Amino acid sequence: MSGGILAGMRVIEASAFVAAPLGGMTLAQLGAEVIRIDLPGGGLDYRRWPVTADNTSLFWCGLNKAKRSVCIDFTVPEGRELAMSLIGAPGEDAGMLLTNFPPRGWLSYESLCARRADLIQLTIQGRHDGSSAVDYTVNASVGLPYVTGSNSDAEVVNHVLPAWDLITGQMAATGLLAAERHRRRTGAGQHVKLALEDVALAALGNLGFIAEAQAGQIRERVGNYLFGAFGADFACRDGARVMVVALTLKQWQALQDALDLESEVTELQQRMGLDLSHEGNRFRAREEIAGLVGARIRTRLFEELARSFDEHGVCWSRYQTISQLVASDPACSEINPLFRTIEQHGVGKILTPASPLHFAGQGRLAPLPAPRLGEHTEDVLGEVLGLGSAAIRGLRDRGVIGPALE
Amino acid sequence: MSGGILAGMRVIEASAFVAAPLGGMTLAQLGAEVIRIDLPGGGLDYRRWPVTADNTSLFWCGLNKAKRSVCIDFTVPEGRELAMSLIGAPGEDAGMLLTNFPPRGWLSYESLCARRADLIQLTIQGRHDGSSAVDYTVNASVGLPYVTGSNSDAEVVNHVLPAWDLITGQMAATGLLAAERHRRRTGAGQHVKLALEDVALAALGNLGFIAEAQAGQIRERVGNYLFGAFGADFACRDGARVMVVALTLKQWQALQDALDLESEVTELQQRMGLDLSHEGNRFRAREEIAGLVGARIRTRLFEELARSFDEHGVCWSRYQTISQLVASDPACSEINPLFRTIEQHGVGKILTPASPLHFAGQGRLAPLPAPRLGEHTEDVLGEVLGLGSAAIRGLRDRGVIGPALE
C-alpha cells in the first residue's frame, strides 16, 4: 500500500453494507491504511449477494478491497477495550474512525475522546435525527420512483443502483479528509455526522427538484427521454439500441448532420413555432424529434450508424447488458488502466477496479484484493498496540479476537 | 463563508453541468472560496432545466451555491491570460483548479504549471482516454437500464437521477483534498484525472456486478424487489404505497412480528425447504414472501400500518411523489437542520440544502445562494490579482470581462 497519495494515513472502520465500507475503501485505494473491525464470523454484510456458488460474497470482496481485516468480539468488555485502543492509538496520521454503527456506548464520541482528545469520528446514519434508513427506503421517500420509467409501467419503479449509498460513501471520504486538514491546522478533532437521507435530499435540492416543486411545477414522468433537452433511446435495423443525446447546441447540430435531418428539423420548427436551438424547446418537441431521429436510425445497421455518429461527433452510446459490457467492451477490461485482473481469495481471478482517481504525480495504485476475514488481526494488534504473541494467544483463547486463519 | 472547515482554501472552477460544479460546490459549502469562471453570458449549463417561468435555471442555481462568479472571455488571449493568472495565483491554500473542460491549450497542465509549478488540477473527463461521454450515455453502456423495472416494461429503463455525475462530483472533492494534503507534505502539485465512465465501471466492480458476470451469472430483472434479500413495494388498503425491507435478520424478524406472520413463514419454509433466516433464501422466496406480506398490508390503513411498523422496528418507508415530499415531509423542511429558506436572486425564496456533512466542531454553515453571473468579477480581479479600477474598466471596455451588473 506504499506510494499512494494518502500513504501514512490510518483509519479504523467499524461498518457494514455499502456507504461506510465504500468510504473506507476510497481512502484505502488511495494508499491509506484502513483497518476494518468486524465481529468474529463477520458483520451483517459478510454474506451479502451477489455470492459465488460456495457463498463467498462478491459484494463484500468488492467493497473491502485494499483494507486490513481485524476480528474482535466487541460484545464483551475486553474486546471493546481493544477496539477503543485501536481507535485511540497515537500518531498524527491516525486517530480517525469511520462507522455506520450507532455512536452510542463504547462507540460514542465522548467515550472515544477519553482515549484520544483529537479523534475524528465520522458517523454515517440513516436520517438526521439518528433514526435508521437504508438506500431503498430513502429512495422511495424522495419521489424518484414516481418519475422513473414510462407511464405504462408499474406505479413506482425502484432503482437498482444504490445511488444514495454510493454518494454517501464518497462524501464520507471527503468529510474525513476535510476534518483531517482542519485538525492538522488547529489540533482539533471532531465528530462528523452524515445522514443518508440528507444526502438524497441535498441532491434533490442541488438539481433543482425542490425549487421546481415549490414553484408548483410537477415533474412529468417522461420514460427514457432526457429531461430539459433532447435525449432518447432508439433501435437500429438490426435491433441494437442506442442512447442519443443533444444537450448542447453542438451536439444538436452533430445529430442533425449525422442523420441528414436539417430540412426536416427546419420544417418541424416552423410547424411547431419553436426555435429548437434552445434546449428547452428540444424537450418540448421531444416526441416529434424522436419521430424524425427514430425513422432514420431504424433504417440503419448499428455498425454503419456508429461510424457516422463518431465521425460527426454525436453524443451517443450503445445500450449493453452487464454481460455484454464485461464480455466485450474494452473499457471494462485491462485495456483500461482502471482495471487489473487479480486473485481474490475465495473467488479466483477477477477483473478488479482501482480508484477512478488518477493522480498523475503518483501513478495509479494497482487494485488489491479484499482481505480474508480477520487476516490482519495479529499483525494489527502487534503493530498498533504493541501486543506480543503471548498476549495475542491469550486473547484468542478467551475468544476476544477471531481465531487464527488456517 | 468564514468559519467553514475548509476556510481559507481557494479553488478556481472552469466547468459546466453537474459533476464539476457539484465538486466545487461541495468544497464551497464547507467554507472554501470557490471561484467559478464563465464566459460572459454564461456557460453551456446556464439555462439547464428545470427553469423558472422567466428562464432562470434552478439547476444552475442549485449547483453553484456559495461560489463566487467571474466572467472572463477566455476565447481571446487577454482573457486567457487573466484566467491563467487567477489559476496560478500564489498562496499556499490556493493553486487548485477543478475543470471538466478539455485540458488542452491554455488549460493544459503544462501551460498552467508555467504559472505555478505546484498547481493541483483536477480534470473530469468522459472516458479514460479523454473522449467525451455524459451521464446518460455512460448509464446506457453499463447495463443497468436492462435490469431496471419489470419485465413488462420497455426493453431498457433509463435512470432519472444523474447518479454517475453525482458520484463523480463527490469523488472530485475527495481527489482535490487528497492532492492538497499531499502537496502540503511534499510541496508537489499534480494533474488528477477522473473519468465519468471509470466512476461507473468502478461502482459496478465494487458492488460485485463484474465478478458476477465473469462467473457467468446473469443478473435478473426483478422489478421493485431488492436484490439478494427481501424488499418490495406494497399498497395499503387506502392506496398508500410502502417500501418494506428485510435485509438483516433483525429486520426480517421485525417484519414478521409487525404483521403477525410467524406461522405462515414457518409453513412457507417447510413447503419450500428454505431457511428464510438466510438473506439469500429470502430473495429466492421473494414472491412467496411478498404474497404473505402483501395480503396483510392490503387489509390495513396506512396510519395503522405505519404505527405498527415503527413500534416493531420494521425497516420501511412511504413512497412519496416529489411534490408530497416537498409539501409535507418534515425531513424536507427547516425542521431538518440541513435546510434553510433563503432568497435566491432570480428565483425568490427557496428551501435550500447546506452540505449534508455536519462537522460538530464547526457548526453547520447555513446555505448561501448561487451568485449572479459575473457578480464577483471585479472583486476577484482586485483581490486576487491586485487590479485597480482603471485596469478593470479597461478590461470591461474591451469586452475581456463581463459587463458590470445593474
Side-chain angles (χ1 to χ4, degrees), chain A residues 312-341:
Chain A
H312 288 87
V314 173
C315 182
W316 75 284
S317 69
R318 178 176 188 165
Y319 283 91
Q320 303 180 110
T321 64
I322 297 167
S323 301
Q324 285 170 331
L325 169 78
V326 172
S328 61
D329 191 328
C332 191
S333 79
E334 289 188 289
I335 292 171
N336 182 346
L338 177 70
F339 285 108
R340 287 292 167 265
T341 292

Side-chain angles (χ1 to χ4, degrees), chain B residues 22 148 157 316:
Chain B
L22 177 65
T148 302
V157 177
W316 75 284

Side-chain angles (χ1 to χ4, degrees), chain A residues 5 9 25 47-51 58-59 62-63 65 93 127-128 134 136-137 140-143 146-148 153 155-158 160-161 164 166-167 170-171 174-175 177 179-182 184-185 190-194 197-198 201-202 204 206-214 217-219 224 226-228 233 241 243 247 279-280 283-284 315-323 325-326 331-332 336-338 350-351 353 356-362, chain B residues 5 9 25 47-51 58-59 62-63 65 93 127-128 134 136-137 140-143 145-148 153 155-158 160-161 164 166-167 170-171 174-175 177 179-182 184-185 190-194 197-198 201-202 204 206-209 211-214 217-219 224 226-228 233 241 243 247 279-280 283-284 315-323 325-326 331 336-338 350-351 353 356-362:
Chain A
I5 198 153
M9 177 180 280
M25 189 172 76
R47 298 293 176 191
R48 184 88 178 92
W49 279 32
V51 293
L58 298 170
F59 171 100
L63 287 164
K65 294 189 289 280
D93 283 340
R127 310 183 77 224
H128 71 91
V134 299
Y136 310 94
T137 59
S141 71
V142 299
Y146 279 109
V147 289
T148 302
D153 292 341
E155 187 167 0
V156 289
V157 177
N158 287 352
V160 170
L161 184 78
W164 308 120
L166 297 181
I167 300 166
Q170 294 307 331
M171 202 163 237
T174 294
L177 291 174
E180 198 263 350
R181 180 180 190 272
H182 182 78
R184 221 171 332 116
R185 294 158 81 102
Q190 64 195 300
H191 193 185
V192 191
K193 290 186 184 176
L194 179 59
E197 186 185 55
D198 280 358
L201 292 168
L204 287 189
N206 297 340
L207 294 168
F209 284 96
I210 292 176
E212 185 183 35
Q214 283 195 309
Q217 298 176 40
I218 308 288
R219 179 68 71 109
N224 284 343
L226 181 151
F227 177 76
D233 72 303
R241 295 193 86 84
M243 178 74 197
L247 191 52
E279 61 197 79
F283 182 65
R284 293 188 177 101
C315 182
W316 75 284
S317 69
R318 178 176 188 165
Y319 283 91
Q320 303 180 110
T321 64
I322 297 167
S323 301
L325 169 78
V326 172
C332 191
N336 182 346
L338 177 70
I350 49 178
L351 186 70
L357 282 164
H358 175 57
F359 294 87
Q362 320 300 118
Chain B
I5 198 154
M9 176 180 280
M25 188 172 77
R47 298 293 177 194
R48 184 86 178 93
W49 280 31
V51 293
L58 299 170
F59 171 101
L63 288 165
K65 295 190 289 280
D93 284 339
R127 312 184 77 224
H128 71 92
V134 299
Y136 310 95
T137 58
S141 70
V142 298
Y146 279 109
V147 288
T148 302
D153 292 340
E155 188 167 359
V156 290
V157 177
N158 287 352
V160 171
L161 184 79
W164 307 120
L166 298 181
I167 299 167
Q170 294 307 332
M171 203 163 236
T174 294
L177 291 173
E180 198 265 348
R181 180 179 189 273
H182 182 77
R184 193 169 293 268
R185 294 158 82 101
Q190 64 195 299
H191 193 186
V192 190
K193 292 186 182 175
L194 179 60
E197 186 185 55
D198 280 358
L201 292 169
L204 287 190
N206 297 341
L207 293 168
F209 284 96
E212 185 183 35
Q214 283 195 307
Q217 298 176 40
I218 307 288
R219 179 68 69 109
N224 284 343
L226 181 152
F227 175 75
D233 73 302
R241 293 192 87 84
M243 177 73 195
L247 191 52
E279 62 198 79
F283 182 65
R284 293 188 177 102
C315 183
W316 75 284
S317 69
R318 180 176 185 164
Y319 282 91
Q320 302 179 111
T321 63
I322 297 167
S323 301
L325 169 78
V326 172
N336 181 347
L338 178 70
I350 48 177
L351 185 70
L357 282 164
H358 175 58
F359 295 87
Q362 320 299 116

Side-chain angles (χ1 to χ4, degrees), chain B residues 37-49:
Chain B
I37 307 177
D38 279 291
L39 289 173
L44 290 171
D45 56 347
Y46 191 55
R47 298 293 177 194
R48 184 86 178 93
W49 280 31

Side-chain angles (χ1 to χ4, degrees), chain A residues 234-385:
Chain A
F234 299 96
C236 301
R237 198 171 95 204
D238 48 13
R241 295 193 86 84
V242 292
M243 178 74 197
V244 174
V245 172
L247 191 52
T248 67
L249 193 55
K250 198 170 142 197
Q251 291 165 354
W252 173 231
Q253 192 57 54
L255 180 63
Q256 292 174 71
D257 292 348
L259 296 178
D260 193 19
L261 277 176
E262 203 109 13
S263 66
E264 284 89 337
V265 166
T266 304
E267 190 277 326
L268 178 64
Q269 292 194 110
Q270 285 166 351
R271 180 157 53 83
M272 296 189 74
L274 288 175
D275 177 356
L276 297 179
S277 70
H278 293 237
E279 61 197 79
N281 287 339
R282 293 198 288 279
F283 182 65
R284 293 188 177 101
R286 63 189 176 275
E287 294 185 0
E288 291 78 7
I289 297 172
L292 300 178
V293 171
R296 285 287 201 284
I297 290 180
R298 72 171 159 266
T299 65
R300 307 234 184 149
L301 294 172
F302 172 75
E303 294 298 341
E304 176 199 341
L305 184 76
R307 215 165 26 241
S308 162
F309 275 1
D310 285 343
E311 272 168 25
H312 288 87
V314 173
C315 182
W316 75 284
S317 69
R318 178 176 188 165
Y319 283 91
Q320 303 180 110
T321 64
I322 297 167
S323 301
Q324 285 170 331
L325 169 78
V326 172
S328 61
D329 191 328
C332 191
S333 79
E334 289 188 289
I335 292 171
N336 182 346
L338 177 70
F339 285 108
R340 287 292 167 265
T341 292
I342 63 171
E343 178 75 27
Q344 173 62 54
H345 182 82
V347 178
K349 289 198 185 302
I350 49 178
L351 186 70
T352 305
S355 170
L357 282 164
H358 175 57
F359 294 87
Q362 320 300 118
R364 175 120 49 180
L365 283 187
L368 294 170
R372 297 162 71 184
L373 187 68
E375 179 176 344
H376 305 98
T377 306
E378 296 197 11
D379 290 350
V380 166
L381 295 181
E383 289 167 30
V384 179
L385 300 183

